[in-house]
């Protein structure tokens, strides 16, 4: 029996989407790391976690803020919370 034409196309599409998602994650991480090089700042009084708007306004934070930016950016591209 003939195999459905969509089986190879569907598999090819999944592989394409997986590669594109990995590339998007890698590009997002590289961009955030580049931003953090000029905007890394230690918390003055203990560990403080910013909200995204605070980070965007100040353009400076420690690793917590840059992780928040990475997480928020990937979520905006449709990645799941987990």
């Amino acid at each position: 029996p003939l195999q459905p034409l969509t089986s190879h196309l569907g598999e090819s599409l999944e592989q394409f989407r997986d590669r594109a998602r990995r590339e998007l994650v890698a590009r997002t991480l590289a961009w955030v790391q580049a931003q953090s090089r000029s905007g890394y700042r230690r918390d003055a009084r203990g560990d403080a976690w910013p909200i995204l708007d605070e980070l965007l306004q100040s353009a400076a934070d420690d690793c917590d803020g840059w992780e928040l930016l990475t997480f928020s950016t990937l979520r905006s591209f449709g990645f799941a919370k987990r």
Side-chain angles (χ1 to χ4, degrees):
L2 292 175
Q3 222 168 341
L5 294 176
T6 57
S7 99
H8 175 70
L9 180 59
E11 184 178 315
S12 180
L13 175 60
E14 284 302 311
Q15 290 172 356
F16 169 76
R17 289 178 65 196
D18 288 344
R19 276 192 317 271
R21 288 172 63 85
R22 283 191 298 273
E23 289 170 9
L24 182 56
V25 169
R27 290 179 61 198
T28 299
L29 290 172
W31 180 80
V32 170
Q33 287 174 349
Q35 302 306 307
S36 72
R37 285 188 192 100
S38 63
Y40 184 86
R41 179 198 66 203
R42 288 180 181 241
D43 290 332
R45 293 173 281 144
D47 196 22
W49 289 56
I51 60 172
L52 185 59
D53 288 343
E54 292 171 343
L55 175 62
L56 295 175
Q57 285 184 351
S58 69
D61 205 90
D62 67 356
C63 57
D64 300 328
W66 298 108
E67 289 173 4
L68 173 63
L69 182 60
T70 303
F71 176 80
S72 298
T73 303
L74 291 174
R75 290 283 294 140
S76 74
F77 288 131
F79 285 83
K81 288 182 181 179
R82 53 187 167 96

